[in-house]
């Protein structure tokens, strides 16, 4: 089956610290991988995506590389800001078999000044 | 500005009641989704619809039904609410050509007592 496992939180970092949130996946076929972010009081929104192996998704200073050999899609940011405080969800979709997403459990990040 | 709205942010219902959760999107999207979000379980797909009057079961459809009579509106129905349906319910929409780019509403927190 298809599934996503991401590191448990909560994660608390000081401003300008380096961020890594781990995500690994299990999937048959050729999934596409995504990170979604949920800011306090808001709906989830797409942060970045990678549709095939070795692709790097990037947005707002965040990056993640689709690594098929390690079945991973870790989220990184070199210098976090207070405004990055949110819950981050790793997800995969099998575009060849339909529109069903598989989301991770979410990792809460708090950045303190 | 694209928008997905949900009828209530908070809802309290009694066991056995019939509950309607409404979702409206203004982006003319064909695809619409209902998820529930629970701590430690992430988001799980209940139902999705790829067109008016069309629906597909997700991972956890038991105890739920849906209705899509108009393109912009997707309703989730709890036929007889139970306490284990206490959860955060999220609606989302997307275009068929970009099913991974889902736009989420703010969610409805349903409590069944």
């Amino acid at each position: 089956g298809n599934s996503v496992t991401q590191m448990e939180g909560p994660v608390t970092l000081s401003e300008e610290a380096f961020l890594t949130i781990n995500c690994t996946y299990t999937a048959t076929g050729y999934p596409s991988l995504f990170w979604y972010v949920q800011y306090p009081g808001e709906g989830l929104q797409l942060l970045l995506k990678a549709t095939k192996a070795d692709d790097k998704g990037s947005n707002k200073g965040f990056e993640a590389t689709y690594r098929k050999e390690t079945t991973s899609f870790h989220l990184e940011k070199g210098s976090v800001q207070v405004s990055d405080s949110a819950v981050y969800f790793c997800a995969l979709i099998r575009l060849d078999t339909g529109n069903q997403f598989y989301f991770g459990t979410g990792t809460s990040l708090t950045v303190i000044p | 500005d694209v928008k997905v709205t949900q009828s209530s942010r908070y809802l309290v219902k009694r066991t056995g009641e019939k509950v309607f959760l409404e979702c409206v999107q203004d982006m003319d999207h064909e695809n619409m989704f209902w998820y529930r979000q629970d701590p430690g379980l992430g988001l799980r797909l209940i139902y999705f619809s790829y067109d008016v009057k069309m629906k597909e079961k997700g991972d956890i459809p038991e105890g739920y039904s849906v209705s899509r009579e108009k393109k912009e509106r997707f309703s989730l129905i709890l036929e007889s609410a139970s306490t284990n349906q206490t959860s955060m319910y999220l609606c989302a929409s997307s275009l068929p050509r970009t099913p991974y780019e889902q736009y989420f509403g703010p969610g409805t927190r349903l409590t069944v007592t």
Side-chain angles (χ1 to χ4, degrees), chain B residues 13-19 78-83 85 112-113:
Chain B
K13 296 293 182 180
R14 294 195 180 275
T15 301
E17 280 192 81
K18 190 169 186 176
V19 181
L78 287 65
E79 298 290 344
S80 177
S82 62
T83 55
Q85 293 179 308
V112 183
T113 62

Side-chain angles (χ1 to χ4, degrees), chain A residues 13-30:
Chain A
L13 294 173
S14 297
E15 206 165 21
E16 299 183 3
F18 185 86
L19 169 71
T20 300
I21 300 178
N22 291 338
C23 172
T24 57
Y25 68 91
T26 301
T28 55
Y30 304 96

Side-chain angles (χ1 to χ4, degrees), chain B:
Chain B
D1 194 21
V2 298
K3 191 171 286 186
V4 178
T5 57
Q6 295 183 229
S7 50
S8 306
R9 291 301 299 270
Y10 300 94
L11 206 54
V12 179
K13 296 293 182 180
R14 294 195 180 275
T15 301
E17 280 192 81
K18 190 169 186 176
V19 181
F20 292 86
L21 303 182
E22 305 286 341
C23 174
V24 177
Q25 51 96 2
D26 65 359
M27 296 164 282
D28 203 34
H29 285 172
E30 285 82 0
N31 294 343
M32 294 189 75
F33 308 81
W34 275 107
Y35 296 89
R36 62 178 284 177
Q37 182 181 11
D38 299 291
L41 296 176
L43 276 72
R44 292 178 292 166
L45 182 65
I46 304 171
Y47 269 97
F48 70 94
S49 168
Y50 49 91
D51 205 346
V52 174
K53 296 190 185 297
M54 307 302 286
K55 61 185 179 185
E56 292 284 343
K57 293 180 180 179
D59 298 320
I60 51 165
E62 297 78 16
Y64 303 94
S65 62
V66 290
S67 172
R68 186 136 181 235
E69 297 297 319
K70 293 184 177 182
K71 191 176 186 180
E72 67 271 19
R73 188 180 297 270
F74 192 36
S75 302
L76 180 69
I77 304 156
L78 287 65
E79 298 290 344
S80 177
S82 62
T83 55
N84 63 10
Q85 293 179 308
T86 292
S87 185
M88 173 69 85
Y89 289 88
L90 301 178
C91 176
S93 70
S94 74
L95 289 168
R97 63 179 181 272
T98 53
Y100 49 80
E101 189 161 0
Q102 296 191 6
Y103 293 84
F104 282 81
T108 296
R109 181 160 300 279
L110 172 68
T111 302
V112 183
T113 62

Side-chain angles (χ1 to χ4, degrees), chain A residues 6-10 21 35 87-90 103-109, chain B residues 37 40-43:
Chain A
Q6 62 182 104
M7 64 184 283
E8 291 191 20
I21 300 178
W35 279 99
V87 181
Y88 293 83
F89 294 87
C90 186
F103 282 88
T105 55
T107 301
S108 175
L109 169 67
Chain B
Q37 182 181 11
L41 296 176
L43 276 72

